[in-house]
Amino acid sequence: MSADDDRHERHQPLVSVVIPVKDDADHVRACLAALAEQTVPPFEVIVVDNGSSDGSALVAVAGGASVVAEPNPGIPAAASAGYDSALGDVIARLDADSVPPRDWIERITGHFAADPHLGAVTGPGVFPELGGASRVLARTFYMDAYFVLVGAALANWPVFGSNFAMRSDAWRTVRCSVHRDDPEVHDDMDLSVFLGRSHTIRLDRDLAIPISARPFGDVRSMWKRYRRAFHTLRVAGRDASSVRRWRARLLRDR
């Protein structure tokens, strides 16, 4: 049997792509254009309009996406509404400013087809707008720090909201646990708290995706992200306890 035949013998999951959006029409247009060029096309693309006033929903429809309206403010509510609406075997998540490489979905399906026990896979963001030292600092103190520090706190890799995918079955096990109605929650960290309790999350550093460097141009925006991270760990309470999670992890690994 050839490698291609073997690949077709394995189940190739259908991928629903969810993109929460508020007033980001230009970025949505570029993101949808990149999804249209995928070597493995998405099963569906769902743009969740979180109260946009700039025509983001019209841009999404023109780009071939389905639009779900979520009136409750905040990324946690918008992202959760998109996950709830997804019909694919796997739910992939992008932000409006993500520009997925042509093989992004192909790499994602490869992970899930090869490992039936995998709950989620995630990769880093890269910042093509930055150059030289700025790019190195952003990767080290923002991207790498997120995976290392949050991973250490949770005893599992966290998913990165601009670039991850999870099995639909995994989402259904945690959808009633995440804090979807708290707009101050860091939604990807919150999801990681509950996914990591019973599902394997894999970090693929080669599953990199270009994203906007706009967070680095606004000190208040960066501070808001850090504030939300600590808030997320606080509201998760016992579920995010580092001691409890590492003890459980060590017991599972024996």
Side-chain angles (χ1 to χ4, degrees):
M1 180 182 291
S2 71
D4 285 342
D5 291 336
D6 180 61
R7 191 161 52 247
H8 286 297
E9 283 292 314
R10 295 179 294 178
H11 173 60
Q12 294 294 324
L14 301 176
V15 178
S16 299
V17 180
V18 171
I19 311 169
V21 173
K22 182 176 181 181
D23 294 333
D24 218 351
D26 289 340
H27 279 121
V28 170
R29 186 178 290 108
C31 183
L32 294 178
L35 286 172
E37 297 295 323
Q38 294 292 300
T39 55
V40 173
F43 172 64
E44 61 181 347
V45 179
I46 301 169
V47 170
V48 185
D49 182 20
N50 199 209
S52 298
S53 58
D54 71 340
S56 290
L58 294 176
V59 168
V61 171
S66 300
V67 176
V68 172
E70 175 50 62
N72 294 320
I75 298 176
S80 296
Y83 305 153
D84 286 341
S85 300
L87 299 176
D89 306 304
V90 168
I91 304 169
R93 160 73 185 277
L94 294 171
D95 281 332
D97 63 351
S98 304
V99 184
R102 294 185 71 248
D103 65 346
W104 183 66
I105 293 178
E106 182 179 356
R107 292 183 66 94
I108 285 171
T109 58
H111 277 286
F112 288 104
D115 185 354
H117 302 294
L118 182 65
V121 63
T122 190
V126 295
F127 308 96
E129 299 167 25
L130 301 179
S134 296
R135 183 178 297 184
V136 173
L137 290 171
R139 183 185 66 234
T140 303
F141 293 103
Y142 181 74
M143 202 73 267
D144 290 348
Y146 172 72
F147 286 117
V148 171
L149 296 179
V150 179
L154 299 184
N156 58 258
W157 292 119
V159 297
F160 175 51
S162 297
N163 180 17
F164 79 89
M166 61 182 165
R167 291 193 191 274
S168 298
D169 289 345
W171 165 246
R172 285 190 281 270
T173 67
V174 302
R175 63 181 299 274
C176 294
S177 300
V178 297
H179 297 86
R180 63 171 72 205
D181 296 321
D182 185 347
E184 290 302 308
V185 156
H186 204 309
D187 71 296
D188 44 5
M189 275 185 60
D190 188 55
L191 179 59
S192 302
V193 169
F194 298 102
L195 271 182
R197 290 192 305 187
S198 55
H199 299 282
T200 299
I201 302 173
R202 178 179 300 155
L203 171 61
D204 178 359
R205 294 188 182 276
D206 293 326
L207 187 70
I209 198 166
I211 59 176
S212 170
R214 55 186 173 179
F216 303 107
D218 185 347
V219 174
R220 290 174 300 178
S221 174
M222 187 61 67
W223 168 245
K224 180 171 67 176
R225 292 166 188 263
Y226 283 108
R227 188 189 71 233
R228 287 180 173 175
F230 287 108
H231 174 71
T232 301
L233 295 176
R234 185 167 60 251
V235 299
R238 289 165 60 90
D239 288 307
S241 166
S242 297
V243 174
R244 293 170 64 89
R245 294 178 73 93
W246 276 106
R247 183 184 296 127
R249 172 72 178 272
L250 292 172
L251 290 173
R252 287 198 306 267
D253 291 346
R254 282 184 178 178

